[in-house]
Amino acid sequence: MEEFILIRPTSEYASQIAEYRQEFLDAGDSMDGTGPLRRIENPEEYINICAEYEDLQTVPSHLVPATQFLFVRKSDNRLVGMLQVRHCFNDYLEKYAGHIGYSVRPSERRKGYAKEMLKAALPFCKGIGLNKVLITCVDGNIASEKTILANGGEYESTVYEPNEKEYLKRFWVEG
Ligand SMILES: CC(C)(COP(=O)(O)OP(=O)(O)OC[C@H]1O[C@@H](n2cnc3c(N)ncnc32)[C@H](O)[C@@H]1OP(=O)(O)O)[C@@H](O)C(=O)NCCC(=O)NCCS
């Protein structure tokens, strides 16, 4: 059984964060659960911004505090996934994006890592007072839906998100 650690981004992982980002760009894939990684090319800048986003004193006023995690395989210290926990809701999160976003790098998919990563994040959620977390996925994203269901997700509703023009399925998972 593989072992993993769930840790905040640090300089030790700067080059792997850049590789992770590039892998998603090359695949034309969605960097879900990475916070501002889409728009920030420099990994050191990204690491600093993640720290700012976690702190109520420094998070930009249009965002809620959020904790960024790296999911790292212990055997080779490889960054395989990323997950972001939003500490509370704003209107958009409450309706559409939920408390948690995540992704697994394309070269490491279909090994059960997303299921493990979400499971590993739930104690942290409980620790910050989130006894139930809202997780949403685009209707038709089978891999994400199965990840949520494998962690006890209970379907609540489907909503239409007008900006992306897509239907999102909303699930609640006990922290
Ligand atoms: C969704 C995502 C995180 C899944 O990562 P993963 O590590 O490959 O997922 P897992 O290996 O843990 O698989 C979870 C389940 O989905 C299934 N699955 C994974 N990829 C699949 C695919 N392409 N098609 C169908 N089923 C798939 C697995 O078989 C597994 O099902 P099981 O519970 O029946 O065994 C990954 O595809 C990803 O990063 N996608 C882009 C970002 C994204 O969509 N994030 C979710 C936003 S809500």
Side-chain angles (χ1 to χ4, degrees), residues 2-16:
E2 286 282 2
E3 288 186 45
F4 301 90
I5 46 169
L6 195 65
I7 46 164
R8 289 170 177 76
T10 61
S11 294
E12 183 192 345
Y13 294 97
S15 61
Q16 290 209 61

Side-chain angles (χ1 to χ4, degrees), residues 14-123:
S15 61
Q16 290 209 61
I17 290 168
E19 285 165 25
Y20 191 94
R21 181 175 186 275
Q22 192 58 48
E23 204 173 309
F24 277 76
L25 292 176
D26 291 346
D29 211 341
S30 178
M31 284 180 224
D32 294 331
T34 65
L37 188 61
R38 288 175 192 85
R39 63 180 172 81
I40 299 176
E41 203 176 339
N42 180 327
E44 293 290 353
E45 188 186 342
Y46 173 75
I47 291 162
N48 291 336
I49 289 181
C50 287
E52 285 176 15
Y53 280 15
E54 186 164 12
D55 186 341
L56 197 53
Q57 306 303 317
T58 49
V59 64
S61 57
H62 66 287
L63 297 174
V64 304
T67 301
Q68 181 64 53
F69 288 110
L70 308 178
F71 194 57
V72 175
R73 188 167 55 210
K74 267 189 172 177
S75 59
D76 56 358
N77 201 31
R78 180 167 163 85
L79 170 61
V80 297
M82 295 179 69
L83 179 148
Q84 189 194 43
V85 179
R86 279 76 80 153
H87 296 195
C88 56
F89 284 148
N90 57 23
D91 283 351
Y92 189 84
L93 294 172
E94 184 165 18
K95 271 190 204 154
Y96 303 122
H99 288 111
I100 296 182
Y102 47 78
S103 54
V104 168
R105 67 195 296 173
S107 57
E108 297 287 352
R109 289 192 185 156
R110 303 212 74 161
K111 298 177 181 177
Y113 290 176
K115 292 195 285 190
E116 283 298 313
M117 177 166 63
L118 178 55
K119 186 176 168 194
L122 294 175

